[in-house]
Amino acid sequence: SGSPRNGNSQFLLEQALDAAKQVNPDSVRCVEYSLRTKKIGPCLGCKRCSQLKGECTFKDDFQTLRNLWLQADVVIYSVPVYHMGIPGQLKCFIDRLGNSLFPRYRHLFNASVLPKQLKTIGVVVQGMHLSAGQEHTATQLINHALIMQCIPVTGDMWESYIGAAGWTSNDGDRQAMERQAAAGNYDASILVKSARDVGRRAVEMALLLRAGGLARMAELSKDPIYLPFVERLGGFSGVAEGDQVDADAHA
């Protein structure tokens, strides 16, 4: 949940995770994380992470969320619209994540390369008003997914073109979406359905990627571009032992 409040984004995230678990209850494990009350400072561009093998020099709640992000096969962002975009706390995390992961793998390549994480990423966005930046916010997170070498996954059409997006019908209450959905409000019901679709489809795609990765492990292990994906599957990279990236953040 990328909201500094405990309310509509959390409710929609729980809907997405509930649907995600139902894809395969025996093999899908969901971990919730909320940015509420967390302290994640901005990236200062100090470049110290280049000297620390990708470890950010500033210690706050960034490290915990980064570790969870790296371990995950699926990342679902549920966020409110803030000033036509994502909340500042989440933007700080994304900035530091991207900048610190480049030097984490830098020793494996001759140039700045970000290896393929091959996670699936789903986006759930809600705002107080209609057409108040929901698609801008979703697109911002989709661009983040692409930059991080991940795969954005949508729900089902017609309700979900680029992710789940909706509004609280000008109701600023933290429980507006849950209350409206329970009352059978049409727009709220559509958003809940699309949030659940995003959770389900993201997990289904991740299971397909995992099965394909395990089937092609021999080939993938020879190319360091797939190192994060291979390590997440429990395989071995094709680089020399002394070149292994620190694995404390990997599953």
Side-chain angles (χ1 to χ4, degrees):
S1 174
S3 175
R5 308 198 309 172
N6 182 20
N8 298 309
S9 293
Q10 180 66 33
F11 167 69
L12 291 169
L13 176 63
E14 291 169 358
Q15 294 296 315
L17 295 184
D18 180 67
K21 293 175 185 176
Q22 292 182 23
V23 174
N24 192 329
D26 293 331
S27 64
V28 175
R29 183 174 68 95
C30 295
V31 177
E32 290 187 29
Y33 189 92
S34 173
L35 287 180
R36 180 173 178 265
T37 74
K38 303 301 192 300
K39 304 297 183 183
I40 299 181
C43 178
L44 300 181
C46 67
K47 305 299 183 182
R48 288 288 303 280
C49 56
S50 296
Q51 306 167 18
L52 299 173
K53 296 182 179 180
E55 185 58 59
C56 184
T57 187
F58 297 104
K59 306 301 180 184
D60 52 21
D61 289 312
F62 166 78
Q63 280 77 14
T64 297
L65 182 52
R66 179 217 43 208
N67 290 356
L68 289 172
W69 194 95
L70 287 170
Q71 291 168 3
D73 294 304
V74 180
V75 178
I76 297 175
Y77 292 105
S78 182
V79 301
V81 177
Y82 273 38
H83 208 80
M84 304 291 284
I86 63 177
Q89 295 91 331
L90 181 55
K91 183 62 165 65
C92 288
F93 169 73
I94 287 174
D95 286 346
R96 287 169 66 183
L97 179 70
N99 286 340
S100 63
L101 285 192
F102 273 104
R104 187 182 183 91
Y105 301 106
R106 186 176 180 180
H107 62 289
L108 300 175
F109 306 97
N110 294 326
S112 294
V113 175
L114 197 58
K116 296 186 180 299
Q117 296 284 340
L118 292 183
K119 306 175 187 294
T120 61
I121 291 185
V123 178
V124 181
V125 180
Q126 53 82 26
M128 182 175 172
H129 305 123
L130 182 64
S131 300
Q134 286 90 334
E135 289 191 355
H136 291 296
T137 304
T139 301
Q140 192 173 6
L141 289 169
I142 289 170
N143 289 339
H144 151 68
L146 295 173
I147 291 171
M148 300 305 294
Q149 303 296 298
C150 296
I151 300 172
V153 177
T154 70
D156 297 338
M157 301 221 0
W158 59 267
E159 298 91 347
S160 176
Y161 279 74
I162 60 174
W167 68 316
T168 60
S169 301
N170 202 32
D171 188 341
D173 186 73
R174 296 186 183 190
Q175 278 70 49
M177 186 59 61
E178 183 175 8
R179 188 180 65 254
Q180 291 172 16
N185 175 277
Y186 181 74
D187 287 352
S189 298
I190 291 300
L191 180 52
V192 168
K193 179 185 182 302
S194 58
R196 295 183 65 85
D197 288 344
V198 166
R200 181 173 69 256
R201 300 307 184 193
V203 168
E204 289 172 349
M205 181 63 73
L207 289 171
L208 289 170
L209 286 168
R210 176 173 282 273
L214 290 172
R216 309 291 293 183
M217 181 65 73
E219 295 93 330
L220 295 176
S221 297
K222 297 175 183 178
D223 188 345
I225 200 74
Y226 294 107
L227 175 62
F229 182 54
V230 168
E231 288 189 335
R232 206 168 69 243
L233 295 181
F236 300 94
S237 67
V239 297
E241 182 177 349
D243 289 337
Q244 288 288 335
V245 175
D246 293 340
D248 62 327
H250 295 270

